[in-house]
Amino acid sequence: MIKLLLIGIKDLKLMFRDRAALVFMLLAPFLLTIGMGFVTGRFSGGSSGLSDIPVVIVNLDKQDLGNALEDLFNSADLADMMEPLDSHNVDPEAARHLIDNDKASAAIIIPEGFTESIIPADGAMLDPNYVQPEPVKIEVYANPSSPTSAGVVKAIVDEFISRVEEGRTSGMTSIVGLMTSGLVNPQDMASEAKASFQNVDQVESTALKLKTNQEGADAVDFDMLSYFAPGMALMFLMYTVSYGGRSILAERAQGTLPRLMISPTQTFQVLGGKVLGIFFMGVAQVGILILASTIFFQVKWGDALGVTVLILAAVFGASGWGMLITSLARTPAQVGSTGSAIMLIFGIMGGSFINLESFPPFMQTISKITPNAWGLDGFTTLALGGTLKNLAEPITALLVMGAVLFAIAVVIFNRNGLVQK
Amino acid sequence: MKKIFAIAWKDAIIRFASKSELIFFIILPVVFTFLLAGGTPSGDDDNRIRLLVVDEAQTPISQQILAELENSTAVRSEVASRDEAQKQFDDRRASAVFIIPTGIDIASLQNASAEVELLQQPNNINATIAERAVQTAIRRVSSAISAAQSAVKQREAKQAFASEVDKQAYFESSLKLAQSIQEDAPERVTVVEGLTEDEVDYDPRSNSSAGQLITWVFIPLFGISALFAYERQQGTLRRLLTTPSRKATFLLGTISGQVVMALIQMLLLVGFGILVMKLNWGREPLALFVLLLCSALAAAAFGTTMGTFIKTEGQASGLSVMFGMVFAMMGGCWYPLELFPPAVQNAVKILPTTWAMQGMLDLGLRGGGLIDILPEAGVLLGFAVIFFSVGVMRFRFE
């Protein structure tokens, strides 16, 4: 056991002396985590990276509803999300030109007569020749290179229109009902109609309430960095385990492995020590990254025992892959390049870059071969308030993965005579 | 010229001596492009967000809500039992679950005691979009009820109903009227894609394709630093001192060879985009070539400068991958720059990846041509001039 530990610790020391490897194992995932923090709005206090979306509003309507929509985009509620550009003396063409030149995410063009197409003008309903005007459409001119921001702008406009429609339906239902009941004098009709359509954009139905789990006492405050920080750590963990595996072949090439074999050390002790070294490297790497995320970004990881066990299991699973790659390679360079390729493939398949939900179901199934997917599943469970007992599935999967891959690697090592004395 | 070609050819042989280089040269970029573009499907697929719906009420009102959800442009509803939906939600295989509990009927809506429930995965943009879609659907259903209730109140304010039966009849006729007004409501918002109407079919996958192209081409160009370090470590740079080759010849041979290889790689990826993913990269071939060339020169110049600071091949390999990935992410190649805070959006203008990506978006998404990408091409050439100057000045054979 002491020999195992000595060999493992020796490899760990060698890793910490290799500055180039350290940069890649620790600095790269750390910098990418910072980038993810920006994207997700983690450092700007938002629930997404979106803030201060530049929008141009051209209000040609200049009446109640047009003004209400303009006020909405300038309101305090949307102050963080929206940044309406100064659009005085900006005509629709100029607004579109601003979007085409990438100066804003979207332009909202409220045409003349928009209000009148929804709220009849004074006395209009009394006019026997009154004809409902053609619907006038608000134009959302979207910047194709800012699809998310433009989508948010459109959603806000849709929400506004939805309220307006609700108010219009309510007003018209009341007025028509009173008219058919003969309870409105013709002379009172105009004022009744006006009253019914007042604040048409502020009507809020209360007949059916929507309760969400994002509010109230049961709401979970989920930190996106507790997903992306381990995501990046797990991705670069694949590099680390292949780096460790590379050292086995390097030792053989340099002649130090045969020397170890003729010392009074059993084969399993030598290989076991090397594997232990890889395991130590992985644990050190993920541990340091998690510690750094805690110190620098105040990421809350959840149950400490769960985090510890999950790290050990994830490193074990990844080490299995590292050993398999090593057993199949002939040279250290092959291990390095294959390891880097596997790192990137597992990174994207395992959800380190984008949420697995974006993938079709078969891809989600295939992702289960990666330690990244299981590890991220576990870290997310912990971040959502889970504990060690909720991690049975990912931990079991990682341990089985590691054990199976180690077994296959040992068979291949024996067949290739890697550890012959 | 012969010397330059010989040096470039030698580098190509060294680079592709290992077959695994092909993985990074073409296989991984294609896989990444395909997978990431798969995350943003084209208009041919139903790319609406999946929303699990549990209908325990089974009433006309719940059916109306489901019908409204069917019309949603944002979500694709899928009915499931509560247990199945809860399991999928717990396994994080569903972004959101919408539950219509028993007892949701007209009566419960009339006395304002009706409540439906939405389970959302935390900080999940799909769940947020699903919430908006659900809000819209229930608003449409409940607003007709609210309108009818309001009509009853106003009628009652004018004149009391003779009986509860009359009141209910008035409510029901008002509800029908409100529903018909809703159904006849015209579209009041139209969305126009900037500068792409009738010119370019807007395809969000262009974003993924452009981003991956830049990422995977910049990394090996930054890796020019590894070439220099390798030659220094091998001692072959020192041997060059004894030949009648000038520093400029060596640098020109090494850099031009890598730039040509980068252009070949770019053209392969562009070809993949055009032929397999049906993207519109071939619309302005001259503009595309100019932009790709300027991007490659900027990246190669950065790699050259790196090569004068880095001592070992191992350091160079790690740093070129690290810089490549970080520059790509911060330059908007992985996630749209619009997601970054405004200050960061301005700060990342110091990166060549930002300008390369901007130029690609001008071509692929905004329908731009040669004139439109000249500013980006100019900035990229500026990067190239600055970094080549630093690199050439600092270059040492030993």
Side-chain angles (χ1 to χ4, degrees), chain B residues 84-140:
Chain B
E84 172 58 22
Q86 189 67 52
K87 186 177 185 316
Q88 286 200 35
F89 183 77
D90 291 343
D91 292 346
R92 282 189 294 283
R93 283 186 288 129
S95 305
V97 174
F98 178 46
I99 301 165
I100 308 170
T102 48
I104 297 292
D105 53 15
I106 289 231
S108 69
L109 265 70
Q110 273 184 269
N111 61 30
S113 64
E115 192 176 71
V116 287
E117 191 180 355
L118 182 71
L119 303 179
Q120 296 166 274
Q121 297 291 359
N123 272 39
N124 180 306
I125 198 150
N126 286 355
T128 308
I129 293 167
E131 182 183 355
R132 284 197 171 277
V134 168
Q135 286 278 22
T136 303
I138 65 171
R139 180 191 289 267
R140 282 183 67 86

Side-chain angles (χ1 to χ4, degrees), chain A residues 36 49 99-100 138 140 142-143 145 148-149 162 165-166 192 205 209 211 213-214 337 353 357 377 384, chain B residues 20 32 92 95 114 116 118 120 122 139 142-143 146 158 170 188 190-192 194-195 329 335 338-339 366:
Chain A
M36 294 308 303
I99 305 307
D100 294 340
I138 290 175
V140 176
N143 183 335
S145 54
T148 314
S149 301
S162 164
E165 277 300 335
E166 196 172 339
E192 288 281 354
S205 166
K209 293 187 192 70
K211 179 183 159 209
N213 61 338
Q214 301 277 293
S337 57
F353 290 99
E357 279 175 33
D377 187 34
L384 290 171
Chain B
S20 65
F32 265 62
R92 282 189 294 283
S95 305
V116 287
L118 182 71
Q120 296 166 274
R139 180 191 289 267
S142 70
S143 67
S146 295
K158 298 271 178 203
Y170 192 86
R188 298 198 189 276
T190 179
V191 178
V192 179
L195 251 191
M329 177 188 255
Y335 305 97
E338 59 173 332
L339 296 176
R366 310 173 69 84

Side-chain angles (χ1 to χ4, degrees), chain B residues 219-254:
Chain B
I219 289 174
L221 286 170
F222 289 174
I224 286 177
S225 56
L227 274 178
F228 293 156
Y230 171 79
E231 298 243 29
R232 261 195 225 101
Q233 278 178 295
Q234 298 295 315
T236 46
L237 272 182
R238 280 201 300 275
R239 290 185 199 176
L240 273 171
L241 279 170
T242 63
T243 67
S245 298
R246 289 176 306 151
K247 185 165 76 170
T249 309
F250 170 75
L251 285 174
L252 206 59
T254 303

Side-chain angles (χ1 to χ4, degrees), chain B residues 7-18 21 227 230-231:
Chain B
I7 292 168
W9 185 243
K10 173 263 301 177
D11 286 338
I13 291 169
I14 290 173
R15 181 172 168 183
F16 289 99
S18 161
E21 180 59 29
L227 274 178
Y230 171 79
E231 298 243 29

Side-chain angles (χ1 to χ4, degrees), chain A residues 79-164:
Chain A
D80 289 339
M81 180 66 86
M82 292 291 154
E83 191 185 352
L85 305 182
D86 183 13
S87 52
H88 288 297
N89 305 321
V90 175
D91 61 17
E93 214 40 58
R96 292 187 191 103
H97 195 64
L98 283 170
I99 305 307
D100 294 340
N101 288 322
D102 206 21
K103 300 290 184 228
S105 300
I108 301 164
I109 298 160
I110 311 164
E112 197 177 346
F114 174 70
T115 299
E116 275 187 16
S117 75
I118 296 172
I119 304 173
D122 285 354
M125 288 180 79
L126 293 174
D127 182 355
N129 301 319
Y130 173 70
V131 179
Q132 177 81 17
E134 278 297 303
V136 175
K137 288 183 184 179
I138 290 175
E139 181 185 327
V140 176
Y141 192 78
N143 183 335
S145 54
S146 301
T148 314
S149 301
V152 171
V153 170
K154 184 182 180 290
I156 292 168
V157 174
D158 281 344
E159 185 83 8
F160 174 84
I161 291 296
S162 164
R163 283 174 193 273
V164 167

